[in-house]
Amino acid sequence: MSELSDLYQEVILDHNRRPRNFRPIDDASRTQEGYNPLCGDRLTLYVKLDGRSIVDLSFQGSGCAISKASASLMTEALKGKTVEQARELFDRFHDMVTSSTDVAAPDLGKLSVLSGVREYPTRVKCASLAWHTLKAAVADGTDGPVSTE
Amino acid sequence: MLTTKNDTAFGHGVPTTGFAHEGTPGASATFDVQRIRADFPILREIVHGKPLVYLDSANTSQKPESVIRAMDDYYRHANANIHRATHLLSERATKLYEGTRANVARFINAPDAKSIVLTTGTTDGINLVAASYGRMVLKPGDEVLLSWLEHHSNIVPWQILCEQAGARLRVAPINDLGEIDIQAYEHLLSDRTRIVAISHVSNALGTINPVRHIVAKAHECGAVVLLDGAQAVPHLVVDVQALDCDFYVFSSHKMFGPTGAGVLYGRKSLLEAMPPYRGGGDMIASVTFEKTAYNQVPYKFEAGTPNIAGVVGMGAAIDYFGSFDRAAAQAHEDDVLAYATERVRAIPGTRIIGEAADKTGVLSFVLDHAHPHDVGTILDREGIAVRTGQHCAQPIMDRYGIAATVRASLAIYNTREDVDALITSLARVREVFG
């Protein structure tokens, strides 16, 4: 059985208390709402693009520690990346939080602190809300809020 | 061969006792919670290496041995389709099924077993009334009146109905304590109000609504009233004739019975006037391709093979209520709720959501240092099951400007020790989140 401290690692608690890039971007290229109706987590993601490059990324909203820390860590990880790289990282992140606990979690650098979520199936949606919101934000021709349900 | 109390109660037009189970004669006036706990096998379960502390009965209740055994016995000794065959097993199944209908009628003091429609649950019952009665009576400009305390299942069917009928949905507000603003409710009633649909007890806050008054005022305006009793039936003795409501709906699974079974009580004259809800077998008297004649009530509303084992289990759950003193059980639950309220209130940074003067079974709260979802995960690892989130009652969360709450909800098997375990684990939350 995993320990609670595997889920609530210090990095996650820190990003929950002091979320990075927790601000609006006035001249955002894309703004996307994300909502988890099960627990009421709600966030707005702001993406500033230069061509295919993500030059700035931020979020605002309310949610549990896991969803807030995940959004915060994501904004740090994706700034400076291309849209294609972000999509590729989305897939790898998604694999990490949904992979079997029998195998070692893939190493995603700092994002690996969220691999503990694998042990808590009811919390996977919290960890992936920001990522689903990002995927919708950079998809072409989407509108309307994204929901994890 | 299986025997339950239902067997003796079987029969069409069976006489009812005329009053609800207000305790069984001979049952002890004192309430032995340890004896009750021994009836529920799951309470001996170990979760995450800790003894289970189950504080989520408003979500679904646990089931006593007698309910589990009744369903098992049904499948071993009586399984067959009801109302359809001449063989012995079908006779046994029909007897158990119809016996439960009569049992339900006594349980809520309905005047006639034929005013009891067996459904799949509260949601099914509300949808039936909205789709059948609602579509029959609602005209453009008419109004349906709810309260701010409703579960989504007592909002959305009416929204769908109002949209189809061109009618208007009105909502009676609540005060900061989580009580319906009765003056505002009365003000919202008018000759345009056709249906009032209100919870007897709020699932998110535990408020007991003054439903007798609500019904009386609605009737003065000529409206019919549906009461959502899902959260009331496990705690309160319900008498639909005393309440004078037109419809009363509830679920088996919140009152120690299985999921997938439930009850719609309807005033018989209304049920008779209402068109069928779903078409199929068993709800018909005769069928030709030109015309179908419908069966009488309540069978008109029971198309298809029902959840017979579930209904049998629900019957056993009703019998279980007869095995202890209802008033003593309620006093015990009130004591545990008052104790939990006092202990949680004493934790710094806690805000209790819903402090109605008249409450039962539910303690909803938020902590300033941790989100409810995180609290739920930490409590789970300590063996404590609570619900976190918006409890299918988003308007209430919006009313209090919060996204979610932690909800500890009680049943007769909970103890002060369960509350102590909750308080200890909330201290653990404080350790993690500081």
Side-chain angles (χ1 to χ4, degrees), chain B residues 32-323:
Chain B
D32 182 356
V33 69
Q34 293 307 329
R35 201 211 82 197
I36 294 285
R37 289 181 68 81
D39 292 336
F40 290 80
I42 210 168
L43 297 181
R44 297 190 280 279
E45 197 71 7
I46 300 294
V47 294
H48 302 303
K50 309 269 170 62
L52 171 68
V53 175
Y54 192 73
L55 294 171
D56 198 20
S57 294
N59 207 346
T60 195
S61 66
Q62 296 303 347
K63 321 305 174 198
E65 186 73 47
S66 60
V67 167
I68 299 166
R69 201 177 333 109
M71 296 175 73
D72 185 77
D73 279 354
Y74 166 76
Y75 277 125
R76 287 177 194 281
H77 302 293
N79 179 53
N81 214 330
I82 53 167
H83 305 147
R84 283 168 173 82
T86 51
H87 56 77
L88 179 63
L89 292 188
S90 178
E91 197 183 304
R92 286 181 187 166
T94 303
K95 201 168 169 182
L96 285 165
Y97 187 83
E98 292 303 327
T100 297
R101 193 191 307 278
N103 206 1
V104 167
R106 283 192 300 277
F107 184 58
I108 58 171
N109 193 28
D112 184 344
K114 289 184 177 168
S115 59
I116 302 298
V117 180
L118 298 169
T119 65
T120 65
T122 304
T123 299
D124 190 32
I126 297 170
N127 276 279
L128 192 164
V129 174
S132 173
Y133 181 80
R135 271 190 226 156
M136 180 176 79
V137 300
L138 228 55
K139 305 274 182 297
D142 286 347
E143 294 181 354
V144 175
L145 178 53
L146 316 177
S147 90
W148 210 272
L149 284 177
E150 302 315 310
H151 187 283
H152 293 166
S153 64
N154 201 25
I155 300 173
V156 182
W158 305 114
Q159 269 174 335
I160 293 170
L161 170 68
C162 286
E163 210 163 281
Q164 287 168 344
R168 187 171 176 203
L169 198 71
R170 308 299 300 267
V171 185
I174 56 173
N175 63 23
D176 289 343
L177 297 173
E179 298 163 330
I180 294 173
D181 179 337
I182 291 297
Q183 268 192 322
Y185 164 75
E186 289 175 15
H187 192 69
L188 282 164
L189 281 169
S190 75
D191 57 6
R192 289 185 300 276
T193 314
R194 292 282 167 271
I195 302 169
V196 172
I198 284 189
S199 50
H200 192 169
V201 172
S202 153
N203 76 302
L205 307 183
T207 311
I208 303 174
N209 291 318
V211 285
R212 274 187 207 222
H213 181 77
I214 284 169
V215 170
K217 285 292 168 189
H219 284 170
E220 282 174 20
C221 297
V224 307
V225 183
L226 175 141
L227 295 179
D228 169 358
Q231 298 293 340
V233 171
H235 306 285
L236 312 175
V237 174
V238 171
D239 179 335
V240 292
Q241 293 187 72
L243 293 172
D244 199 29
C245 56
D246 303 287
F247 299 104
Y248 196 95
V249 289
F250 59 96
S251 298
S252 152
H253 77 97
K254 302 214 196 258
M255 44 168 274
F256 315 129
T259 54
V263 171
L264 160 65
Y265 157 78
R267 211 181 276 285
K268 209 168 149 206
S269 56
L270 291 177
L271 291 177
E272 281 168 346
M274 284 157 57
Y277 170 47
R278 285 193 300 249
D282 214 31
M283 53 77 73
I284 46 81
S286 74
V287 177
T288 66
F289 284 111
E290 288 71 38
K291 176 141 185 77
T292 291
Y294 301 124
N295 205 338
Q296 57 184 334
V297 297
Y299 311 107
K300 180 168 74 173
F301 297 107
E302 296 180 9
T305 298
N307 178 7
I308 305 167
V311 166
V312 170
M314 176 165 71
I318 289 172
D319 288 343
Y320 187 70
F321 279 93
S323 75

Side-chain angles (χ1 to χ4, degrees), chain A residues 64-78:
Chain A
C64 65
I66 304 298
S67 77
K68 218 193 253 182
S70 180
S72 172
L73 285 158
M74 182 189 80
T75 59
E76 282 194 323
L78 294 184

Side-chain angles (χ1 to χ4, degrees), chain A residues 3-17:
Chain A
E3 292 299 319
L4 263 179
S5 53
D6 293 343
L7 180 65
Y8 293 110
Q9 295 189 34
E10 196 42 54
V11 175
I12 289 177
L13 294 174
D14 176 55
H15 277 261
N16 174 48
R17 271 191 296 268

